Amino acid sequence: MKFEESLRFAKKLDQQDSLRLFRPKFHLPKVNGKTAIYFTGNSLGLLPKSTKEIVNEELDDWAKLGVEGHFHSQRPWLHYHKFSKKSLAKLVGAKPSEVVAMNQLTVNLHLMMVSFYRPTKTRFKILTETGAFPSDQYALESHVKVHGLDPDKTIIELSPREGEYPLRTEDILYAIEENKNELALVIFGAVQYYSGQFFDLAKITRASHEAGTKVGFDLAHAIGNVPLHLHKHHVDFAVWCGYKYLNSGPGGLAGAFVHEKHAKSFDIPRFAGWWGHNDKERFEMKKGFKAMEGVDGWQLSNFPVLSGAAQLASLEIFDNAGINNLRKKSFLLTGYLEFLLKSIEDFNEYITIITPTNKNERGCQLSLLMKKNGKKVFDRITKAGVIADWREPDVIRVAPVPLYNTFEEVFSFAKIFQNALQ
């Protein structure tokens, strides 16, 4: 599409937007009494208006039924982890048996690494990206240390080439091949939280398996943002949080994926809990863990119903919108933002966009590297009613989310940003 730098054009795009009816389904924050330009759905998604209703239904059932709610509530609590499976499976490109909502992201990452990071004397190294989200870094370090290894000699961190910001896929594949005889695990953030780069999961997975190593992904910034095909690509495992694009609430319920090829590998080492035990024998309360088939066998504790209810409200919206439709709008929305920013006079003097320019290699986030006065510019746009994200030392992250952001907001943001540079 040929973009135009005008409010009229932005409004025209909004009128043509088939997803425009989803914005009213969310509560929109205000700044100084006016609706904010909320571009931080990559950090905390907005509250769906339906969330209160579904959470209140569970509260009412708790009040009326007490413990009997496990069997007789509107959505019996005993089976609550099953209610989100189809929706989550569609979002990550999986079978329902391969996904489960549980725990928090880092808890799930630890659980997966217990099972899929099994270092030997010859194969012990982990390949990941430089500057992975800190929690991921800490998890990798801790598992390496538990095995008595030195993180500095064990974890290989890939950096972009000098003068570049995205990682080239060819460099990732080269690193896998170069270290193939020592690799025990390849793990990346599917969409890199800082740069916004969407890695080529299919090629990374294929190369990893050809090298004889397991591969997993952190989907924190990918699920609900970009279409995924974990089953088709034979990814071994993946984990995610629910509070960003999934709009499941602050600290909301996370989830995990394990490919069905591991579904009956009951001998895989794992940290066990009673909700992962064979559900037909779970309440016999006997010693001796027997894992359920598939990813359900990695569950630990009974399901957090109130948090799960909040997630169901958002997933219903995703079911109706469709991730492929959201992706199409995201291409336009983020593309329009990039066009407007690059139209600013002296753009190159102030800003470098470190997110890939190829639309297929990014989600809805653009990361703006500020060459000067970055924090001052951020403070100015915040004062003007923009809720964005500052990342030390010099990056402003903005993410127009296709579920609830508009082209007119993108246009207004670009004008506010331009004024803030002066």
Side-chain angles (χ1 to χ4, degrees):
M1 177 179 290
K2 185 177 180 181
F3 294 125
E4 297 177 15
E5 189 183 354
S6 71
L7 179 58
R8 180 182 177 184
F9 180 78
K11 288 184 175 181
K12 180 182 177 182
L13 289 178
D14 282 327
Q15 291 170 355
Q16 296 173 346
D17 177 18
S18 62
L19 299 174
R20 64 186 181 278
L21 296 180
F22 288 96
R23 176 177 169 86
K25 295 181 181 295
F26 292 86
H27 290 283
L28 304 170
K30 294 183 180 297
V31 175
N32 298 323
K34 296 182 179 180
T35 300
I37 297 176
Y38 191 84
F39 281 180
T40 48
N42 58 337
S43 191
L44 178 64
L46 293 183
L47 171 65
K49 292 178 180 177
S50 57
T51 301
K52 287 184 180 180
E53 179 182 351
I54 189 171
V55 171
N56 281 335
E57 287 174 358
E58 303 304 342
L59 291 173
D60 289 343
D61 281 344
W62 181 14
K64 291 183 294 186
L65 300 171
V67 72
E68 291 300 309
H70 283 89
F71 309 98
H72 303 300
S73 61
Q74 182 176 336
R75 290 169 289 271
W77 304 335
L78 187 64
H79 310 296
Y80 221 95
H81 69 279
K82 298 180 180 180
F83 300 147
S84 58
K85 280 181 171 287
K86 288 184 179 180
S87 298
L88 291 172
K90 284 188 287 186
L91 288 177
V92 302
K95 295 184 177 181
S97 61
E98 294 174 314
V99 297
V100 67
M102 63 179 188
N103 308 317
Q104 300 297 304
L105 184 154
T106 309
V107 174
N108 293 336
L109 179 55
H110 280 300
L111 295 175
M112 294 299 110
M113 289 196 66
V114 167
S115 299
F116 294 102
Y117 177 57
R118 309 301 304 171
T120 66
K121 288 185 177 180
T122 55
R123 282 185 172 272
F124 59 92
K125 291 186 177 180
I126 298 173
L127 180 67
T128 190
E129 83 265 25
T130 297
F133 192 79
S135 193
D136 288 9
Q137 294 183 47
Y138 305 153
L140 300 185
E141 291 171 7
S142 64
H143 278 268
V144 165
K145 290 179 179 178
V146 162
H147 287 285
L149 301 170
D150 182 351
D152 291 335
K153 297 178 181 179
T154 303
I155 302 173
I156 305 168
E157 297 182 327
L158 288 186
S159 298
R161 297 184 185 186
E162 186 175 354
E164 298 182 0
Y165 297 99
L167 260 172
R168 295 192 187 188
T169 301
E170 62 199 81
D171 291 347
I172 298 174
L173 303 185
Y174 176 81
I176 293 172
E177 175 65 21
E178 185 180 37
N179 296 280
K180 65 180 181 181
N181 295 324
E182 296 179 303
L183 282 179
L185 178 65
V186 173
I187 183 165
F188 280 78
V191 172
Q192 218 283 334
Y193 88 99
Y194 190 78
S195 70
Q197 180 179 4
F198 180 21
F199 292 113
D200 192 326
L201 275 56
K203 289 183 179 179
I204 293 172
T205 301
R206 188 182 309 117
S208 298
H209 288 161
E210 289 174 355
T213 187
K214 297 292 192 297
V215 60
F217 295 97
D218 176 349
L219 308 181
H221 289 265
I223 188 169
N225 180 17
V226 294
L228 299 161
H229 307 282
L230 302 186
H231 175 83
K232 177 182 177 181
H233 297 328
H234 297 278
V235 172
D236 290 295
F237 71 89
V239 294
W240 59 84
C241 59
Y243 54 84
K244 295 181 174 66
Y245 296 104
L246 285 192
N247 314 306
S248 301
L253 190 63
F257 161 91
V258 174
H259 197 279
E260 70 173 357
K261 63 188 173 183
H262 303 297
K264 296 183 179 180
S265 300
F266 301 116
D267 57 341
I268 293 179
R270 71 183 81 196
F271 284 162
W274 85 309
W275 221 250
H277 186 81
N278 182 347
D279 55 359
K280 295 180 176 60
E281 302 178 7
R282 182 184 295 150
F283 289 93
E284 294 179 9
M285 316 302 264
K286 293 180 180 179
K287 291 174 64 175
F289 178 75
K290 298 179 181 178
M292 282 195 286
E293 257 187 47
V295 70
D296 287 0
W298 273 268
Q299 293 178 101
L300 297 179
S301 304
N302 55 330
F303 193 88
V305 169
L306 300 182
S307 182
Q311 185 164 100
L312 286 180
S314 178
L315 290 176
E316 183 179 8
I317 295 174
F318 275 100
D319 285 342
N320 292 329
I323 189 63
N324 291 325
N325 295 326
L326 292 169
R327 182 63 164 161
K328 290 177 183 177
K329 180 180 175 180
S330 183
F331 282 153
L332 286 177
L333 203 60
T334 307
Y336 190 45
L337 173 61
E338 182 182 29
F339 165 79
L340 292 173
L341 290 174
K342 288 184 175 180
S343 298
I344 294 174
E345 188 176 355
D346 298 325
F347 168 84
N348 292 323
E349 180 183 343
Y350 290 97
I351 309 162
T352 295
I353 298 177
I354 64 174
T355 309
T357 56
N358 183 338
K359 66 181 182 180
N360 294 308
E361 296 178 3
R362 67 188 185 196
C364 67
Q365 173 183 314
L366 290 184
S367 297
L368 314 179
L369 175 65
M370 304 303 296
K371 298 177 182 178
K372 57 184 179 181
N373 301 326
K375 192 61 168 64
K376 287 183 179 179
V377 171
F378 178 78
D379 291 341
R380 288 170 183 167
I381 66 172
T382 300
K383 189 176 180 180
V386 174
I387 302 178
D389 180 64
W390 173 256
R391 291 284 162 164
E392 295 291 349
D394 48 18
V395 165
I396 298 174
R397 301 189 311 163
V398 288
V401 175
L403 260 181
Y404 46 73
N405 286 129
T406 68
F407 293 93
E408 184 173 347
E409 285 182 309
V410 167
F411 180 82
S412 298
F413 169 81
K415 291 301 180 185
I416 291 170
F417 194 83
Q418 182 175 14
N419 292 334
L421 293 175
Q422 306 308 316

